[in-house]
Amino acid sequence: MRRVPTAIPDVLVFEPRVFEDERGFFFESYNRKTFEILGLVEDFVQDNHSRSRRGVLRGLHYQIPPRAQGKLVRVVVGEIFDVAVDLRRSSPTFGRWVGVHLSAENKRQLYIPKGFAHGFLALSPWAEVCYKTTDYYSPEHERCVLWNDAQLNIAWPLKKGDMPALSSKDAQGMPLAQADLFD
Protein backbone atom coordinates (compact mmCIF):
# COMPACT_ATOMS: atom_id res chain seq x y z
CA MET A 1 0.00 0.00 0.00
CA ARG A 2 1.23 3.48 -0.84
CA ARG A 3 0.04 6.75 0.72
CA VAL A 4 -0.29 9.66 -1.75
CA PRO A 5 -0.82 13.23 -0.50
CA THR A 6 -3.39 15.59 -2.02
CA ALA A 7 -3.60 19.39 -2.14
CA ILE A 8 -5.32 19.24 1.27
CA PRO A 9 -2.91 17.48 3.67
CA ASP A 10 -5.61 15.69 5.72
CA VAL A 11 -7.24 14.13 2.63
CA LEU A 12 -5.23 11.13 1.46
CA VAL A 13 -5.14 8.73 -1.47
CA PHE A 14 -4.12 5.13 -0.88
CA GLU A 15 -2.89 2.94 -3.72
CA PRO A 16 -2.81 -0.79 -3.02
CA ARG A 17 -0.21 -3.26 -4.22
CA VAL A 18 -2.02 -5.35 -6.84
CA PHE A 19 -1.03 -8.89 -7.77
CA GLU A 20 -2.19 -9.74 -11.31
CA ASP A 21 -1.82 -12.79 -13.49
CA GLU A 22 -3.77 -14.62 -16.21
CA ARG A 23 -6.47 -15.54 -13.65
CA GLY A 24 -7.21 -11.97 -12.59
CA PHE A 25 -5.97 -9.95 -9.63
CA PHE A 26 -5.77 -9.80 -5.85
CA PHE A 27 -5.15 -6.94 -3.44
CA GLU A 28 -5.82 -6.04 0.18
CA SER A 29 -8.34 -3.22 0.22
CA TYR A 30 -8.07 -2.78 3.98
CA ASN A 31 -5.63 -3.96 6.60
CA ARG A 32 -5.73 -2.03 9.88
CA LYS A 33 -2.01 -2.57 10.59
CA THR A 34 -0.96 -1.40 7.12
CA PHE A 35 -3.11 1.72 7.31
CA GLU A 36 -1.80 2.50 10.81
CA ILE A 37 1.79 2.23 9.54
CA LEU A 38 0.83 4.71 6.79
CA GLY A 39 -0.60 7.12 9.38
CA LEU A 40 -4.32 6.38 9.16
CA VAL A 41 -5.57 5.33 12.58
CA GLU A 42 -9.36 5.07 12.46
CA ASP A 43 -12.01 2.81 13.90
CA PHE A 44 -14.36 2.09 11.00
CA VAL A 45 -17.80 0.94 12.16
CA GLN A 46 -19.97 0.77 9.03
CA ASP A 47 -19.57 -0.22 5.36
CA ASN A 48 -21.83 1.30 2.68
CA HIS A 49 -22.31 0.39 -0.99
CA SER A 50 -24.04 2.56 -3.59
CA ARG A 51 -24.74 2.12 -7.29
CA SER A 52 -25.19 5.11 -9.60
CA ARG A 53 -25.71 5.53 -13.31
CA ARG A 54 -23.61 7.95 -15.38
CA GLY A 55 -24.31 11.58 -14.52
CA VAL A 56 -25.59 10.96 -10.99
CA LEU A 57 -24.07 13.32 -8.46
CA ARG A 58 -24.34 12.39 -4.79
CA GLY A 59 -23.46 15.00 -2.20
CA LEU A 60 -22.00 17.04 -0.79
CA HIS A 61 -22.85 15.10 2.40
CA TYR A 62 -21.51 15.22 5.94
CA GLN A 63 -22.62 14.65 9.51
CA ILE A 64 -22.20 17.20 12.28
CA PRO A 65 -20.89 16.37 15.78
CA PRO A 66 -21.35 14.35 17.78
CA ARG A 67 -21.87 11.97 14.81
CA ALA A 68 -19.24 13.36 12.39
CA GLN A 69 -17.84 10.71 10.05
CA GLY A 70 -14.52 10.02 8.43
CA LYS A 71 -14.76 7.94 5.22
CA LEU A 72 -12.53 5.60 3.23
CA VAL A 73 -13.96 5.45 -0.31
CA ARG A 74 -13.25 3.08 -3.19
CA VAL A 75 -14.91 2.08 -6.47
CA VAL A 76 -15.59 -1.57 -7.32
CA VAL A 77 -17.39 -0.99 -10.66
CA GLY A 78 -16.81 1.93 -13.05
CA GLU A 79 -15.37 5.36 -12.32
CA ILE A 80 -16.23 8.45 -10.29
CA PHE A 81 -14.91 11.93 -9.65
CA ASP A 82 -14.74 12.04 -5.84
CA VAL A 83 -14.68 15.35 -3.97
CA ALA A 84 -13.85 16.36 -0.38
CA VAL A 85 -14.57 19.90 0.87
CA ASP A 86 -12.95 21.25 4.04
CA LEU A 87 -15.67 22.58 6.38
CA ARG A 88 -13.37 23.26 9.36
CA ARG A 89 -13.42 27.02 10.01
CA SER A 90 -10.08 26.88 11.88
CA SER A 91 -8.32 25.05 9.03
CA PRO A 92 -5.93 26.84 6.65
CA THR A 93 -7.71 24.96 3.83
CA PHE A 94 -11.26 25.91 4.95
CA GLY A 95 -13.61 26.12 1.95
CA ARG A 96 -11.14 24.42 -0.39
CA TRP A 97 -11.87 21.17 -2.16
CA VAL A 98 -9.88 18.33 -3.67
CA GLY A 99 -11.12 16.02 -6.42
CA VAL A 100 -9.76 12.58 -7.31
CA HIS A 101 -10.67 10.08 -10.02
CA LEU A 102 -11.38 6.73 -8.41
CA SER A 103 -12.12 3.66 -10.49
CA ALA A 104 -12.32 -0.10 -10.38
CA GLU A 105 -9.33 -0.04 -12.71
CA ASN A 106 -7.00 2.19 -10.67
CA LYS A 107 -8.14 0.67 -7.33
CA ARG A 108 -7.29 3.89 -5.49
CA GLN A 109 -9.01 4.80 -2.23
CA LEU A 110 -9.70 8.27 -0.86
CA TYR A 111 -9.64 9.00 2.87
CA ILE A 112 -11.89 11.90 3.87
CA PRO A 113 -11.55 12.89 7.54
CA LYS A 114 -14.21 14.25 9.88
CA GLY A 115 -14.95 17.90 9.17
CA PHE A 116 -15.27 17.46 5.41
CA ALA A 117 -18.24 17.26 3.07
CA HIS A 118 -18.10 14.44 0.51
CA GLY A 119 -19.66 13.95 -2.89
CA PHE A 120 -19.05 12.22 -6.18
CA LEU A 121 -20.11 12.24 -9.82
CA ALA A 122 -20.54 8.90 -11.64
CA LEU A 123 -18.53 9.01 -14.89
CA SER A 124 -19.07 5.49 -16.25
CA PRO A 125 -22.34 3.84 -17.38
CA TRP A 126 -22.58 2.42 -13.84
CA ALA A 127 -20.45 3.11 -10.80
CA GLU A 128 -20.49 1.13 -7.58
CA VAL A 129 -18.92 2.86 -4.61
CA CYS A 130 -18.01 1.15 -1.33
CA TYR A 131 -16.96 3.15 1.68
CA LYS A 132 -16.17 2.66 5.33
CA THR A 133 -17.30 5.20 7.94
CA THR A 134 -16.00 6.04 11.40
CA ASP A 135 -19.49 6.60 12.83
CA TYR A 136 -22.94 5.24 12.12
CA TYR A 137 -25.39 6.93 9.78
CA SER A 138 -27.48 9.44 11.72
CA PRO A 139 -30.23 11.20 9.71
CA GLU A 140 -30.69 13.91 12.35
CA HIS A 141 -27.00 14.86 12.08
CA GLU A 142 -26.76 14.65 8.28
CA ARG A 143 -26.25 17.86 6.32
CA CYS A 144 -25.71 18.71 2.66
CA VAL A 145 -23.75 21.53 1.02
CA LEU A 146 -24.96 22.59 -2.41
CA TRP A 147 -22.96 20.75 -5.08
CA ASN A 148 -22.61 23.84 -7.30
CA ASP A 149 -22.05 26.52 -4.65
CA ALA A 150 -20.32 29.44 -6.37
CA GLN A 151 -18.08 30.03 -3.33
CA LEU A 152 -16.66 26.50 -3.67
CA ASN A 153 -16.46 26.58 -7.49
CA ILE A 154 -15.92 22.82 -7.79
CA ALA A 155 -14.74 21.82 -11.26
CA TRP A 156 -17.09 18.86 -11.72
CA PRO A 157 -16.19 17.08 -15.00
CA LEU A 158 -19.53 17.82 -16.68
CA LYS A 159 -19.93 18.73 -20.32
CA LYS A 160 -20.89 22.37 -20.82
CA GLY A 161 -24.63 22.73 -20.27
CA ASP A 162 -25.08 19.27 -18.71
CA MET A 163 -26.83 19.00 -15.37
CA PRO A 164 -26.19 16.04 -13.07
CA ALA A 165 -28.98 13.81 -11.80
CA LEU A 166 -29.61 14.78 -8.17
CA SER A 167 -31.81 13.56 -5.36
CA SER A 168 -34.27 16.15 -4.07
CA LYS A 169 -32.22 16.34 -0.84
CA ASP A 170 -29.03 17.09 -2.77
CA ALA A 171 -30.75 19.65 -5.01
CA GLN A 172 -31.77 21.53 -1.86
CA GLY A 173 -28.31 21.57 -0.27
CA MET A 174 -27.22 24.64 1.65
CA PRO A 175 -24.70 27.17 0.31
CA LEU A 176 -21.42 27.06 2.24
CA ALA A 177 -22.19 30.50 3.75
CA GLN A 178 -25.33 29.06 5.42
CA ALA A 179 -24.10 25.54 6.23
CA ASP A 180 -23.49 24.09 9.67
CA LEU A 181 -19.69 24.06 9.92
CA PHE A 182 -16.98 22.60 12.14
CA ASP A 183 -14.73 24.64 14.46
Side-chain angles (χ1 to χ4, degrees):
M1 186 76 66
R2 188 169 82 98
R3 174 182 158 158
V4 180
T6 69
I8 299 177
D10 296 330
V11 178
L12 301 169
V13 172
F14 292 94
E15 295 177 341
R17 186 169 173 211
V18 181
F19 301 92
E20 294 186 73
D21 62 24
E22 65 281 351
R23 300 169 299 156
F25 69 83
F26 171 85
F27 70 95
E28 279 187 350
S29 61
Y30 183 75
N31 179 311
R32 181 185 294 247
K33 287 181 184 178
T34 301
F35 275 86
E36 286 176 356
I37 289 167
L38 294 172
L40 181 62
V41 180
E42 288 286 8
D43 184 21
F44 294 106
V45 299
Q46 182 174 321
D47 280 356
N48 299 321
H49 188 138
S50 72
R51 185 172 196 244
S52 304
R53 64 176 169 77
R54 183 190 320 271
V56 168
L57 192 149
R58 296 183 186 265
L60 299 159
H61 303 148
Y62 63 105
Q63 288 186 185
I64 58 171
R67 302 308 295 266
Q69 293 178 317
K71 297 178 180 177
L72 182 62
V73 183
R74 69 187 185 105
V75 173
V76 296
V77 173
E79 180 181 11
I80 65 171
F81 183 68
D82 205 21
V83 171
V85 178
D86 193 345
L87 300 180
R88 304 168 301 170
R89 284 186 290 249
S90 61
S91 169
T93 57
F94 170 72
R96 289 184 33 205
W97 62 274
V98 63
V100 176
H101 285 265
L102 301 179
S103 69
E105 185 176 320
N106 70 25
K107 298 170 186 56
R108 300 171 99 197
Q109 297 182 70
L110 184 66
Y111 171 68
I112 302 160
K114 295 174 186 176
F116 283 73
H118 171 245
F120 65 86
L121 175 67
L123 301 175
S124 52
W126 290 101
E128 292 192 31
V129 177
C130 294
Y131 60 100
K132 297 180 170 307
T133 64
T134 60
D135 204 341
Y136 300 101
Y137 174 66
S138 176
E140 60 270 21
H141 295 95
E142 185 179 35
R143 301 293 187 270
C144 183
V145 171
L146 193 61
W147 70 277
N148 62 349
D149 183 295
Q151 185 178 347
L152 297 175
N153 196 30
I154 297 172
W156 296 103
L158 292 163
K159 292 180 183 171
K160 190 172 176 94
D162 279 0
M163 282 293 291
L166 303 167
S167 70
S168 59
K169 174 180 74 174
D170 293 351
Q172 297 171 22
M174 300 295 293
L176 181 64
Q178 297 173 12
D180 290 332
L181 302 172
F182 296 80
D183 291 330

